[in-house]
Structures are given as C-alpha cells and as structure tokens.
Amino acid sequence: MAFADDLAARRDLDPAWVRDQVGQAQRLPQVSRLMAPAPRGTPKNWAAYRARFIEPVRLRAGQRFWEDHRETLSRAEAEFGVPASLIVGVIGVETLWGQHTGNFRVIDALTTLAFDFPQSHPRASARTEFFRGELEQFLSLTRRTGLDPQTLRGSYAGAMGWPQFMPSSWVKYAIDFDGDGRVDLFNSPADIIGSVAHYFQAFGWQPGMPTHYPVNLSPTADLDTLLAPDILPSFSVASFTAKGALLDGTALEHSGKLALVELENGAAPRSFVAGTDNFYVVTRYNWSSYYAMAVIELGETIQAQMRP
C-alpha cells in the first residue's frame, strides 16, 4: 500500500483506485518459481531450440499470417525499414501469431515479481526494481487508456499481446498503425505489425544491413579475444579476420562492426556466426542470441516458402 500511495502521488492517479488495483492482486508462487534461474551447468542446444520454431505447424501458420497481412507488412517495411520477415518471425516465436499470448493475469504476475522476486536469482535486487517499474507503467497505462487492469492476461513475466510487450515497451514503442485512434496489441494485426517494426527502428535497425554472416574459424583463432565482447559488435572486418575468424563473399565488404556469436549444441560442436549491429538490435527484443537466430530463421524460412 505504501508503494501504491507513492505511485499515485508521482503519477497523479487516484490513490483509492491504485490501492484497490494492487489490493486485488494475487500472489502467484508459480510465477516466482518460473523466474528462478536455471540450474548451473544446464547445457544449451541451438539445434534443439531451433527445432521448436522451424517446424511445419508454425511454418504453415506463418504463411497464412503473411498472406492475410501482406499489405500491412509491406507498409511497415517501407515506413520503418524493418524487413517483413523479421516482423513475422518475432510474432511467430513470441505467440504463434496470437495463439498463445499467456494465461496469467498481468496484475498478478507483475505484483508477484515486484514484491516476491526469487532471492536465489543473482540479480534479485535489480529485477525487483525492474518489475516495480513495470507495475507502475502497467497501472498508469491502463488508467490512461481505459483498459481493465484486472482482466488483462499475459506471460508469467507480465508481457502482453501478440508481440509480448512489457508495459514500458507498450508505452514507448506501441503505435496506432490502423488509424482507429487507439493502440491494441491484442486484437489489431496492424497495430501489432507496426509496433514491432517501430520497436526495432527505435533500437537502431539499419535498413539493408544483414543480421549476420557465415563464419569459419582457423585452427589458430583467438577465441578468448573474439568471444570476450559476447554479442556486442566490436571488431572491424580486418581485426576480426586477423584474429582467425574467416569470412568470404559480401561479408568481407561489411563496413560496420562484427561480433563472434557462439551457439552451443549440447554435446555436439558449437556453431558460430558473425553478428552485425542489426543482429544486436534483434537481441534488444530478447537478450538471447538463440532467440535472435530463431526469429531471423523462422521469418526467412517462411518468406522462402511464400507464393510471389
């Protein structure tokens, strides 16, 4: 209630309304468990992760979505410079184009994580503050737009709608792309498509730049140095190749920075790609190189199967 009163004062909201909304929230132990970090030593497997998304049911659903919204996707690509394949890929990985948007009440999920975040998490303090901020954004957003905070449902982390925007992302990046005077990420495909494109543009998407290039490693490659920046592009083509990362074709003409992106495959050999600034932009949607590759490859695979 102290949080509610402080929020109401700072956001100029009715204190009784804020208290009522927070007071109706239910603590969800399942949400806390889901947010706990994976056990140490859990192996990552890019091949298995990819197979969850690049599969027949999702590919057919993606083709239908693209065909149904071809004009809107083309308009978003023209306006924001973000490829239709990336927009389609994101929505497909997030919610299977609206089929799985989450069954947790957002108010319950956010309040649980704002006040009962698992203390076993290495960043528990920072994550608690993050979710308190998201709860504040959620209550402010719903009050301003007339949405009912007690009925909206989303993921266990409080992400909402087809593109699974957190409340702060909804406030900053969601747009009215169908021109009806309101933003609807639950029922308006145009708003959903436009908002995803706007999100990537806001994070610095560069039209025409590939997300990544194939790369091979020489036997003497300096992997420690190449992997040190993680997925942040830090090397020119010259410094990248000098450290043993082998490129060919158009990759050698790339004028920006590159990162060596590592993808583990369980017990099998690791995979690598050379990530560009645009690859890094894709990871701003979800801070995972596995996620970014799945989004990119799902969209591109659907595009390759589309009728002209």
Side-chain angles (χ1 to χ4, degrees):
M1 292 301 102
F3 170 86
D5 291 342
D6 178 63
L7 188 162
R10 288 185 293 100
R11 291 276 179 169
D12 193 25
L13 298 173
D14 176 6
W17 180 84
V18 179
R19 277 176 163 254
D20 183 45
Q21 302 309 318
V22 174
Q24 292 184 60
Q26 301 294 310
R27 176 178 173 272
L28 301 178
Q30 182 186 5
V31 165
S32 295
R33 288 195 299 270
L34 287 168
M35 195 57 70
R40 285 183 175 275
T42 303
K44 295 181 179 179
N45 191 322
W46 160 237
Y49 186 88
R50 182 186 188 279
R52 288 167 48 193
F53 301 105
I54 319 296
E55 49 83 25
V57 171
R58 207 171 292 253
L59 292 174
R60 286 194 297 271
Q63 286 180 266
R64 287 194 299 272
F65 178 82
W66 199 320
E67 288 168 0
D68 290 345
H69 305 290
R70 190 187 293 266
E71 184 178 335
T72 305
L73 286 162
S74 296
R75 180 162 63 94
E77 184 169 335
E79 185 166 331
F80 297 103
V82 178
S85 63
L86 184 60
I87 301 169
V88 171
V90 164
I91 304 169
V93 167
E94 289 290 346
T95 61
L96 220 170
W97 300 282
Q99 293 186 43
H100 305 299
T101 56
N103 291 314
F104 295 89
R105 281 203 319 165
V106 174
I107 187 77
D108 295 338
L110 291 177
T111 306
T112 297
L113 294 172
F115 297 102
D116 194 30
F117 195 88
Q119 292 305 298
S120 60
H121 195 286
R123 298 179 60 239
S125 178
R127 299 305 285 165
T128 293
E129 288 305 308
F130 169 78
F131 283 107
R132 288 188 182 184
E134 292 299 326
L135 177 59
E136 177 173 332
Q137 292 280 9
F138 176 70
L139 290 170
S140 179
L141 170 68
T142 53
R143 186 64 166 175
R144 187 173 67 252
T145 59
L147 295 168
D148 182 358
Q150 299 299 324
T151 61
L152 293 180
R153 292 185 176 270
S155 76
Y156 68 84
M160 298 181 289
W162 289 32
Q164 292 288 276
F165 273 16
M166 293 298 290
S168 60
S169 292
W170 186 309
V171 170
K172 293 176 187 174
Y173 309 116
I175 62 172
D176 171 21
F177 206 53
D178 61 11
D180 69 351
R182 65 192 188 96
V183 175
D184 185 353
L185 301 185
F186 290 96
N187 304 295
S188 169
D191 288 359
I192 292 158
I193 289 166
S195 296
V196 172
H198 181 236
Y199 184 99
F200 284 123
Q201 183 197 54
F203 276 89
W205 180 268
Q206 299 180 47
M209 176 185 287
T211 54
H212 62 284
Y213 300 103
V215 63
N216 291 303
L217 298 174
S218 74
T220 58
D222 183 359
L223 271 179
D224 288 343
T225 301
L226 286 167
L227 292 173
D230 197 19
I231 56 175
L232 180 66
S234 305
F235 303 101
S236 66
V237 167
S239 63
F240 198 59
T241 54
K243 291 174 177 58
L246 308 177
L247 304 171
D248 58 23
T250 56
L252 292 169
E253 301 169 10
H254 183 74
S255 59
K257 299 291 187 181
L258 295 171
L260 184 64
V261 177
E262 177 186 40
L263 300 163
E264 296 178 27
N265 289 302
R270 294 172 291 174
S271 303
F272 297 93
V273 297
T276 69
D277 286 311
N278 273 355
F279 185 90
Y280 188 76
V281 169
V282 179
T283 65
R284 299 311 86 192
Y285 208 100
N286 180 312
W287 291 33
S288 162
S289 52
Y290 298 81
Y291 172 90
M293 286 296 295
V295 161
I296 294 162
E297 294 200 6
L298 176 61
E300 290 179 348
T301 304
I302 293 169
Q303 184 174 31
Q305 297 180 356
M306 290 291 293
R307 291 179 287 117

